[in-house]
Structure formats: C-alpha cells, structure tokens
Amino acid sequence: MERPESTTESTIEIAEAEKRFPIPPSMLPRTIANLRKTLPPLPPPSPLPQSSDLDARQEKDSDVGANANRESSTTSTLESLLTALGGNERNVRLTLGPPLEVDEKPPRPITKDWPRPGTAATTATVETTATGMSYSTTTSQRTIKYGTGKHANVELSPQPSEDPEDPLNWPLWKKHLNLGALLSMVALVGVMRTAYIGVNSVIAIEENVSYTAVVALTAAPLMVSAMTGMVSLMIARIWGKRPVYLVSMVMIFIGVVWNTHVRGSLAQNMAARIFQGLGWGAFDTLVLGSIQDTYFEHERQLMIIIHYTVSIATMLGSPLLGGTASAGPRGFEVQFEIMSAFLSLSILLIAFGAPETTYDRSVDDTQPPTIERSQALWPTVTYTKEAAIAYATKMKPWSYQASEINIPLILQAPRAMAAPTTVLLFIVTLLPYAGFWGLASSLSLLFSPLPFMLPSAPLGTLMTGPFLLATPVAIALASAIFQMRFRPTVHLITLAVGTGIASIGMLGFGLYLSGSMEMPTDGSAKPFSTPWDLGLNRVSLPVASFLLGLLAGGSLALDATIRPIIQRSTAFTSANLAVGLRITADMHGGLTCLRNFVVGAFILGLPNAIFMWDGLKAATLGIGITQIIVTAVAGVVYWYWDENIRRLDGFVMGLIDLSILKRTASFFETD
C-alpha cells in the first residue's frame, strides 16, 4: 500500500538540512551572471533499519512503490535546497541531472594591429592616421601623437608639446637648417685640428724650435677644448646652447683670422691656436644634444650618422688638401685663409639659422593635437619687412634659462663624465685613438728629415690610408643595423676585432719602419753606408699609409661600441626618456673631454719617444701589447659585471637615491 506524499515532512527535511549544513560565505549569491558555483557537500544518507529476509520478501511488492515515492520526495527536497543556495535576484535555479547548456559570452575578436613592445599606446589605424593621435590602452587615456606623411603610422618619441616653438614641432626645413649650420662648424673644427700634420717640420725649421714645441700647436688647443667642452655642458644646462655656440664661434673666428698672419712668431701662433681651442669644445660636446632636441627617434639615427661622418671625414681628409695648399710661398697660412672664407658663411648660418634648441617640455596627456608639423624641405619665403623682423626676433642670442639653478644641476655633466661606464669606455678606446693621433702628428718628424726629405704635400698624402679605410668603417658601424644587433656577444666580438686590427696597424707601422731602417747584417750593405742611404729604396710610403689606416680603422671600430653601451646604461638608470637623452649627451660629451685632454698630452710626449727608430719600435710594441691586455680585462669585466657597472652609473650620477633605504623609525610603529 502506497503512502501519500507529505508536504510537512518535506518542509521539515529542508529545514533540518539547512540547519545542519549552513551556506558558506563563498557561496552567497553574486550579481554577475554565468559564474560557476561550487555546491556544498550533500548530507550523508540515513541508515535504513535492518529487517529479516523473511520480512523483506513479504513486503517486497509494497516497498517498490514506497521507494519510488521516497526518491521523488528526496529529489524534490534537494532541488528546493539547491534553489535556495544557488538562486539570486535573477532567479537562477540549479537542478540535478545532466548539465544544461549555458549561453556564454562570445570571445573578443582578434585585433589586426600587432602589439608594439615598450609602449602603452595603440597602433595607428585609419582613424588615428587621420587625426594624428590615439589614446593609451591604459586607464590614463593619455593622448598618443603620431607622425605625418610617410611616418603617419609611427608613434612620436619623445611626445611633443602643443607649443609651435617646441623644437620637435619645427618644420623640417628649419630642423635641417639648424643641423647644417652646426655641421658647418663641426667640419671646420675637424679641419683645424689636423691642419699642421704636414707642416710641423717646416714650422720647426722656420722658427728654429724643437719638434715638441711645434706639436704643442696641436696638443694645446686639444687640451683647452677638453676643459671648455665640459664648461659648455654645464653652462648649456643653465642658459641654453645658443649663447654657448655664439661665444665659441667668436673665439674660433678670432683664432682663425689671427692665424693668417702669425708666420715667424711661434708665440702668436700659439695664442691663435688657443683661441681656436676655446671654441672647439662647444662643437665637440653640444651638437649631439642639439640633434636630440630637434629630431624624433625615427629621424635621429640618420642625423647622428651624418654628424659622425662629417666629423671623421673632415678630420682625416683635410691633410690631403692641406699639405698641397701649404706647399706655396705663404705656407700653412693659406689653409687658414681658406678656412676664413668658409667660416664667414658658417657665422651667418649660426647667427640666423641655429636658434635655441633647449626646451622644457610639458605635455598635456589629455589634450588632443592642435598643430600640424610641416614636412616641407623648403620654407615659404615672404620678403617683407615685417616677416624679417618677426624672424629676427626669434633668433635671440639668449632665450632660455633653467627654472632652478642648484648644485645638482651644475654637476650633472661632471658626474656623467665620472660614471663607471664612461671611464671604462675611455680606458678601452684610449690607446688606439691616442696612438693614431700621436703617430699622425709625428709623420713630419719621421719622413721630413733624411733619408726621405718629404715636403708637405707628400706628407699629407700619407693620410690617404686612414681616410679611405677608417671612414667607411665608422659609417658602417654607426648604422642602425649594427646598433639594433648590438648584444653582449656582438660587443665582445667588436672589441676583439677592433683591438686586433688596431694592434696590427700599430705594431706593423712601428716594426716595418724600424726594421726597414736597420742596417742589414748579411753583408749586403755597401761599405761606409748609413741608414740614411737606404731611404725610399726599402720603405714603401703606400704600405706605411695602409698600416696607419689599419690603426685608424681599428680605433674607430672600438669607438663604435661607445654609443650602444651608453644607451644601454641610460636605459637602465634613467627614470624617463627626457632624463635618458640628457644623460646620453652628457656621457658622450664627458668621454670626448677625457679623450681630448689625454690625447693632447700624448701628442706632446710621443715625439720624444720615437725620435730614434728603435724608440719607434719600442713605443709601438708597448702600445699594441698593452691594448690587447686592456681589451681582455675589459671583456671579462663586461661579461661578468656589466649590470653592476650600470648600477654604479645610477649611483654616481645621482639617479638612485640610497637615502630612502635608511630606516628612520621602527618598522612596527604605526600612526
């Protein structure tokens, strides 16, 4: 006989189940739909009373119906319980049985824009190309500005402001005019440095002074330029670069004009060269910063290569023409007369084409772009009095001043010069660079006397090897391909190859000349012959030029590691892009100052060491072997302690404040 279902019994069981198994906090209803819920464990089944087999047989037929009703009642009870546990304001009901299909949110479509590493901005789409801006994918919603023309899909770095006077917003012709004016002075500085390579012996004979006194005309301005270069970096940080350029240009003009009438007076010659050195420093250390001020990252690489090429080509190539120009009756003064003509043009370019590039940039992240950067290569000229006055008013000699002048601001450049990365680069690249300068300045000492008796024009042609071999090496290793593939292994390989080539050139030059000038010991020499009788019969000038070119090429190969190493250091220590660019320029300028000062001392001392052929052999052997040892030690330091060096860079330059690590109170103190 079947028992009727009892509603009261079901209600009591639900209450007992809820009382015995309370709902845990994690299972409280949520407002978000389609969330997966974890059910509490079901109560254990109650034990059924045992009965004898006889009673089981007698009540078998009646228990079948009762069990069916009990299962239906238990299922209904559990479903009511689960509804109470899993329900929410949307009346979600959980049931026992096979899982039901739930509508899921469709997956996000895959974007067609490839992600750009290292930026929070989105890639440019049709909309962003049209407006020149987009928004960050972060919650800040900062405005991202893009280039124009063929660079419409390139995110601008650094992000420019909305001020038309911002150098990054200048028209392209104005940027190129500024760079051209600065490069004209860079080229003239390179020509001035090597103007005396072919005429040192001539000046020594005319002035009746030692060769060391004559090479001081090259060494002294180099050492002076090292000091003025550092001072230029410090002053430019406070009052901008343009007044420094103008003062330096005036110094160079005085020195060059004076140098056209100094023949016969070594003191006046030295004074004129000192004035030139006072002006060299600014164009050695500030031009890279001006390029960084005016060009975006995607434009900057080519301009840096052009700057580097002009500097190297004019320095190595000018003796080829300078020796020929000095062969006339007026001697070396002709070189400075020619330079005076070009300097007049450079003065006009600097005065009217090189405005101030130092700019304190503040970018409003939420303001959409309101100006358009012109890509025109030629300006739209308006020949009116008002236009001329408006342009002249923008070319003020002094238009910038730092908002706050303090000791940390003044010491930024000296700290960058003292950074471990700068010092290590100076040690690695010094000997080949100084050795080349020393040997180049001593060419007149080696080849002007007997047995060679070379005049100024053939002496200048000895620089053909360095010009033809070193200039392409410098351009190739300054390219973006080498910079992008610069890794620790590439760094070490470049150091090894550059040191090998420089050592071959250094050792080959000294051993070849000294060996060729030694008297043969096999009895082939004529009676009463001297080393001066050998002359050009045993020495090939093209071979000597080629070996000198190997030395210059190896030195520039080592110099190719300077820029990527400094960039890696600044990327590690800089808090933002503006700080990184500033430190990059300071470290390059500091390294240039260190090398110029030591090279000047090297030029003064080397002629005394190589006055005899045996001295040349000993000096080149010492420099070449020492460079190999230095490179090996530097390679070990870079391989094992590269990151530690970069950490020290941040500490020395004041980019890491260790005072925040000092505990000023107990850790357990609370407000």
Side-chain angles (χ1 to χ4, degrees):
M1 182 178 181
E2 298 181 359
R3 290 187 304 174
E5 295 183 358
S6 175
T7 307
T8 304
E9 182 180 358
S10 300
T11 305
I12 293 173
E13 291 179 1
I14 293 173
E16 290 178 355
E18 292 179 352
K19 186 182 298 182
R20 187 177 301 174
F21 302 97
I23 301 175
S26 61
M27 295 304 300
L28 293 175
R30 302 181 182 178
T31 58
I32 303 175
N34 298 330
L35 292 180
R36 183 177 179 181
K37 296 179 170 36
T38 304
L39 300 179
L42 295 177
S46 303
L48 298 177
Q50 297 180 358
S51 61
S52 62
D53 297 338
L54 181 59
D55 296 336
R57 293 190 190 99
Q58 293 177 353
E59 297 179 359
K60 181 178 181 180
D61 297 334
S62 60
D63 288 342
V64 172
N67 290 337
N69 294 333
R70 188 180 297 111
E71 293 175 359
S72 175
S73 175
T74 303
T75 302
S76 176
T77 301
L78 292 177
E79 288 180 356
S80 301
L81 173 62
L82 296 176
T83 302
L85 296 176
N88 49 32
E89 65 274 10
R90 297 187 182 183
N91 297 324
V92 178
R93 178 182 177 87
L94 302 179
T95 59
L96 296 178
L100 299 178
E101 295 183 359
V102 182
D103 295 334
E104 297 182 356
K105 186 178 179 180
R108 296 179 60 184
I110 300 176
T111 177
K112 296 181 180 180
D113 294 334
W114 293 97
R116 295 193 310 272
T119 178
T122 58
T123 50
T125 58
V126 176
E127 292 79 5
T128 61
T129 303
T131 61
M133 51 83 70
S134 67
Y135 291 99
S136 168
T137 56
T138 62
T139 57
S140 64
Q141 289 295 310
R142 65 184 181 91
T143 304
I144 304 298
K145 301 173 184 177
Y146 291 86
T148 57
K150 65 178 182 179
H151 300 294
N153 295 333
V154 178
E155 178 182 333
L156 298 179
S157 176
Q159 287 282 288
S161 65
E162 291 304 307
D163 184 5
E165 300 303 322
D166 186 348
L168 293 176
N169 293 327
W170 287 352
L172 200 58
W173 66 265
K174 189 174 182 179
K175 295 181 180 182
H176 292 346
L177 178 62
N178 174 72
L179 180 61
L182 297 178
L183 291 184
S184 66
M185 291 301 302
V186 170
L188 287 173
V189 169
V191 173
M192 294 176 206
R193 283 180 173 169
T194 54
Y196 285 162
I197 284 182
V199 296
N200 282 328
S201 292
V202 175
I203 297 176
I205 294 173
E206 289 181 352
E207 304 294 340
N208 194 23
V209 294
S210 66
Y211 193 86
T212 302
V214 175
V215 295
L217 297 173
T218 301
L222 274 176
M223 300 175 74
V224 171
S225 69
M227 294 182 286
T228 57
M230 180 54 58
V231 174
S232 299
L233 286 172
M234 299 166 65
I235 295 177
R237 193 69 60 218
I238 301 173
W239 292 294
K241 300 180 180 66
R242 178 168 169 80
V244 182
Y245 285 143
L246 294 177
V247 173
S248 300
M249 179 186 65
V250 172
M251 294 294 180
I252 292 176
F253 178 76
I254 294 173
V256 170
V257 173
W258 194 352
N259 230 147
T260 59
H261 298 86
V262 296
R263 194 173 182 183
S265 175
L266 184 65
Q268 292 192 39
N269 200 343
M270 178 63 73
R273 294 290 281 178
I274 292 296
F275 269 95
Q276 295 171 31
L278 290 173
W280 293 354
F283 297 99
D284 286 341
T285 58
L286 297 183
V287 176
L288 177 61
S290 296
I291 294 175
Q292 293 176 345
D293 291 340
T294 53
Y295 289 96
F296 294 105
E297 186 176 2
H298 65 276
E299 304 169 332
R300 197 181 303 144
Q301 180 66 29
L302 177 60
M303 304 307 160
I304 292 176
I305 294 176
I306 294 175
H307 168 227
Y308 191 50
T309 303
V310 170
S311 177
I312 296 298
T314 53
M315 184 181 66
L316 298 180
S318 61
L320 302 177
L321 301 176
T324 303
S326 302
R330 288 187 53 81
F332 64 89
E333 291 181 341
V334 176
Q335 296 189 61
F336 292 95
E337 292 175 356
I338 296 173
M339 280 186 275
S340 298
F342 286 100
L343 183 59
S344 301
L345 178 61
S346 296
I347 290 175
L348 295 176
L349 290 175
I350 292 291
F352 299 103
E356 181 59 63
T357 61
T358 306
Y359 184 84
D360 290 333
R361 189 170 294 105
S362 59
V363 180
D364 188 356
D365 292 340
T366 60
Q367 182 182 2
T370 58
I371 63 174
E372 181 180 355
R373 282 166 292 277
S374 173
Q375 299 296 310
L377 296 178
W378 296 98
T380 302
V381 181
T382 304
Y383 295 100
T384 62
K385 181 179 179 181
E386 292 76 11
I389 295 176
Y391 184 83
T393 54
K394 295 181 180 180
M395 304 300 296
K396 299 178 181 179
W398 172 47
S399 59
Y400 172 85
Q401 183 171 350
S403 58
E404 182 180 0
I405 302 175
N406 48 38
I407 297 300
L409 179 67
I410 297 174
L411 294 181
Q412 283 177 356
R415 284 179 172 179
M417 183 177 65
T421 292
T422 307
V423 174
L424 189 56
L425 287 171
F426 166 71
I427 294 173
V428 172
T429 61
L430 173 64
L431 288 179
Y433 183 74
F436 170 75
W437 267 96
L439 293 178
S441 299
S442 301
L443 289 177
S444 293
L445 176 65
L446 298 175
F447 295 101
S448 290
L450 291 171
F452 303 103
M453 296 293 293
L454 295 182
S456 59
L459 282 173
T461 59
L462 288 175
M463 295 293 290
T464 303
F467 176 74
L468 296 179
L469 295 179
T471 306
V473 171
I475 297 174
L477 295 183
S479 63
I481 298 176
F482 177 78
Q483 303 291 328
M484 290 187 298
R485 288 168 171 78
F486 193 84
R487 300 292 186 270
T489 53
V490 176
H491 180 202
L492 296 182
I493 292 174
T494 306
L495 289 180
V497 174
T499 299
I501 295 175
S503 298
I504 291 173
M506 176 70 71
L507 297 174
F509 186 84
L511 296 178
Y512 174 70
L513 289 180
S514 61
S516 299
M517 298 305 297
E518 289 181 357
M519 291 296 297
T521 58
D522 56 358
S524 59
K526 297 180 181 180
F528 306 105
S529 62
T530 63
W532 290 272
D533 297 330
L534 302 178
L536 297 178
N537 296 327
R538 298 183 61 184
V539 176
S540 173
L541 295 182
V543 172
S545 178
F546 174 76
L547 293 173
L548 199 61
L550 289 180
L551 174 59
S555 175
L556 292 179
L558 293 175
D559 290 351
T561 64
I562 292 176
R563 185 162 169 252
I565 288 297
I566 290 179
Q567 285 183 339
R568 190 166 61 181
S569 174
T570 55
F572 185 84
T573 57
S574 303
N576 52 56
L577 181 59
V579 174
L581 293 176
R582 186 255 300 169
I583 296 174
T584 299
D586 287 346
M587 293 179 76
H588 277 278
L591 179 60
T592 301
C593 294
L594 285 174
R595 299 209 307 177
N596 285 348
F597 190 85
V598 177
V599 165
F602 209 89
I603 292 174
L604 282 175
L606 189 62
N608 294 326
I610 65 173
F611 183 76
M612 303 296 293
W613 296 111
D614 290 339
L616 176 63
K617 178 180 179 180
T620 53
L621 278 173
I623 296 174
I625 295 174
T626 303
Q627 177 60 30
I628 294 174
I629 297 174
V630 168
T631 301
V633 175
V636 174
V637 172
Y638 277 123
W639 187 259
Y640 289 101
W641 297 289
D642 187 24
E643 185 174 344
N644 295 333
I645 294 174
R646 284 178 280 168
R647 292 179 185 274
L648 287 176
D649 289 340
F651 174 71
V652 172
M653 290 185 287
L655 302 176
I656 299 176
D657 187 8
L658 298 181
S659 63
I660 63 177
L661 301 179
K662 298 179 181 179
R663 183 176 298 174
T664 58
S666 173
F667 176 78
F668 298 98
E669 290 183 3
T670 56
D671 296 333

